[in-house]
């Protein structure tokens, strides 16, 4: 084997090891990546129960119900569709009806969303990008008009 062939073989082996490492990293991330979905995406997508997603939209007016303990229920809507969310824990201080919210959790077999994290907007003009994009997609975005 010539010196050039050994060098090419070494480069090929290094490339193979690098390719395998990237594959392992991507496989590890696949289980931890959580994608954002609007209620319309969830209803149209037929997500399998138990798959972790982020659900975002507006908290529907009049939908908030405090259950026993720290459990609350509310509806997240993108004005076209709505999904009932059940959450146990402390809500952010700025959480309220009619405002943008992003929840993280999984769909239950009965069609409710079991959230383990609730994120609310942090000021009057901020809307999570994913929520704003979903509302724009539905044709209900009034962000620029609301700012005037």
């Amino acid at each position: 084997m010539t010196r050039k062939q050994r060098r090419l073989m070494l480069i090929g082996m290094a490339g193979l090891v690098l390719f395998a490492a990237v594959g392992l990293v991507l496989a590890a991330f696949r289980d931890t990546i959580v994608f954002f979905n609007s209620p319309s995406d969830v209803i149209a997508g037929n997500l399998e129960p138990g798959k972790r997603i982020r659900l975002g939209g507006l908290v529907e007016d009049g939908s908030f119900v405090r259950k026993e303990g720290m459990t609350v229920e509310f509806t997240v809507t993108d004005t076209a569709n709505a999904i009932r969310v059940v959450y146990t824990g402390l809500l952010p201080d700025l959480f309220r009806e009619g405002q943008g919210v992003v929840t993280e959790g999984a769909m239950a077999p009965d069609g409710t969303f079991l959230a383990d994290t609730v994120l609310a907007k942090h000021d009057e003009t901020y809307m999570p990008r994913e929520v704003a994009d979903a509302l724009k997609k539905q044709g209900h975005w009034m962000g620029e008009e609301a700012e005037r």
Side-chain angles (χ1 to χ4, degrees):
M1 184 178 285
T2 66
R3 187 174 180 173
K4 183 178 180 181
Q5 288 175 330
R6 277 187 271 155
R7 190 177 321 145
L8 286 174
M9 183 180 230
L10 183 64
I11 291 172
M13 295 293 281
L16 186 64
V17 169
L18 181 65
F19 182 74
V22 168
L24 289 173
V25 168
L26 291 177
F29 279 139
R30 189 177 65 187
D31 292 337
T32 59
I33 293 174
V34 179
F35 293 103
F36 176 84
N37 292 283
S38 69
S40 294
D41 294 338
V42 171
I43 290 171
N46 295 326
L47 296 174
E48 60 210 48
K51 181 178 170 114
R52 288 191 62 77
I53 62 168
R54 284 187 172 187
L55 175 69
L58 301 173
V59 178
E60 194 169 56
D61 289 332
S63 68
F64 182 80
V65 177
R66 187 168 294 280
K67 298 289 186 178
E68 60 187 60
M70 296 176 60
T71 301
V72 296
E73 290 185 16
F74 54 93
T75 301
V76 173
T77 181
D78 59 0
T79 66
N81 290 298
I83 293 181
R84 192 80 183 150
V85 176
V86 177
Y87 173 69
T88 301
L90 293 174
L91 289 171
D93 290 339
L94 298 174
F95 178 88
R96 60 180 181 255
E97 294 178 339
Q99 297 296 320
V101 67
V102 175
T103 61
E104 188 173 322
M107 293 298 295
D110 65 354
T112 59
F113 186 76
L114 304 175
D116 54 24
T117 303
V118 173
L119 305 172
K121 68 177 207 163
H122 65 8
D123 69 13
E124 293 179 6
T125 58
Y126 177 75
M127 176 72 71
R129 184 176 51 87
E130 295 91 352
V131 174
D133 290 344
L135 291 174
K136 286 177 186 174
K137 196 168 139 184
Q138 295 295 326
H140 296 287
W141 174 247
M142 296 187 309
E144 289 82 17
E145 296 171 11
E147 293 173 4
R148 293 182 189 158

